[in-house]
Amino acid sequence: MLQSTFFNLPPESNRDDAAFWIVPVPYEGTVCFMKGTANAPAAILKVSDQMEDFDEETHASVLQHGIATLPPIPPADTPEEEFQRIYETVKGRKEHNNNFFGKGHFPIFLGGEHSITPPIVKVADDCLRHFGHQTGNNVSVLQFDAHADLRDFFTGGKYSHASAMRRVLEYTPNLVQVGIRSYSAEEYEECPDRINAVITPQQIRADLNGSVKRIIDRLRHFVYITIDIDAF
């Protein structure tokens, strides 16, 4: 079966010129509740052309700057191998001067599960260093999630979906967590400053404008946004 493309656009057409790159990452190696999340990227692509391409807020077509769907990053056998595969795939494009985080490109990675995020953030940090920015202090990660994902180890070891943000902190201290409403005693004891800094649904309901200001004030110039579906 041929891979679907976003909006059913011709595959690989004008890929290097497209502003937006859709990258499927169908991995679910550390999922601990219900399997099937590996099917999510294909499912999203399949129904994407059911949306209007005209945006009601900007009054412009979402296709005007180009959207390309790249080949999926195939799942590896272990979480460690998956981390390395994603990292090397994304970094490989950088080293060929046709990178995911270069000027003019906006990459969108479709998982899968949250463990795909740390290797991508690591490449983003590498890119900032490559372009002469101070690493660590420049890339921010804005996480929308129900869970903190700050465990050091969980199902799948240190590369578990529940350890995703703990690994992200190894590459950048600039983590802003929004919507968190569940965390473990381990996370509370080992990462109290992070837990105390999360922006909860209760805080958003009580003061929406103030919560938005807190988010923006804590972000740096370069922002990587990661969204777990349970945030909704």
Side-chain angles (χ1 to χ4, degrees):
M1 180 182 296
L2 294 176
Q3 175 199 351
S4 299
T5 62
F6 197 79
F7 263 102
N8 201 30
L9 296 170
E12 304 295 313
S13 63
N14 299 317
R15 179 169 75 180
D16 295 339
D17 296 330
F20 299 93
W21 286 355
I22 310 294
V23 188
V25 191
Y27 180 71
E28 59 176 31
T30 74
V31 169
C32 55
F33 177 49
M34 294 179 65
K35 295 293 184 179
T37 60
N39 299 321
I44 293 171
L45 294 175
K46 184 178 180 180
V47 301
S48 60
D49 64 351
Q50 297 303 304
M51 298 185 296
E52 296 287 353
D53 68 86
F54 187 76
D55 182 74
E56 73 279 3
E57 293 186 6
T58 62
H59 295 169
S61 170
V62 299
L63 306 178
Q64 63 180 317
H65 297 297
I67 301 175
T69 305
L70 276 62
I73 299 177
D77 293 332
T78 69
E80 293 81 6
E81 292 172 341
E82 179 69 10
F83 180 100
Q84 199 62 26
R85 177 171 293 179
I86 295 172
Y87 176 75
E88 291 177 354
T89 301
V90 179
K91 184 179 181 181
R93 183 166 292 277
K94 175 181 80 70
E95 292 178 342
H96 286 87
N97 296 318
N98 189 7
N99 66 80
F100 285 106
F101 298 101
K103 182 178 179 180
H105 292 305
F106 191 112
I108 301 171
F109 299 89
L110 300 179
E113 59 166 75
H114 223 161
S115 67
I116 73 170
T117 297
I120 300 171
V121 171
K122 187 176 189 303
V123 177
D125 190 61
D126 289 347
C127 284
L128 291 177
R129 184 164 56 245
H130 175 76
F131 288 115
H133 298 284
Q134 182 181 356
T135 184
N137 291 325
N138 287 280
V139 62
S140 296
V141 176
L142 175 57
Q143 172 199 6
F144 293 94
D145 205 332
H147 306 92
D149 290 350
L150 289 169
R151 296 175 188 263
D152 197 18
F153 293 87
F154 199 60
T155 303
K158 67 181 295 186
Y159 296 110
S160 167
H161 67 93
S163 303
M165 296 306 116
R166 188 71 168 260
R167 299 286 78 81
V168 160
L169 289 173
E170 296 174 358
Y171 312 119
T172 174
N174 304 321
L175 172 64
V176 182
Q177 299 177 286
V178 180
I180 310 302
R181 52 191 183 273
S182 179
Y183 50 84
S184 66
E186 170 197 342
E187 291 168 303
Y188 181 72
E189 292 167 1
E190 295 184 2
C191 304
D193 292 343
R194 294 292 170 180
I195 294 299
N196 290 331
V198 301
I199 297 173
T200 66
Q202 293 91 335
Q203 293 169 343
I204 294 171
R205 283 195 294 267
D207 183 7
L208 175 60
N209 291 335
S211 296
V212 171
K213 185 177 186 304
R214 285 178 59 203
I215 293 169
I216 294 174
D217 287 347
R218 288 165 57 188
L219 294 173
R220 301 298 188 266
H221 182 70
F222 299 97
V223 182
Y224 182 90
I225 302 173
T226 177
I227 302 172
D228 194 315
I229 193 66
D230 59 18
F232 297 106

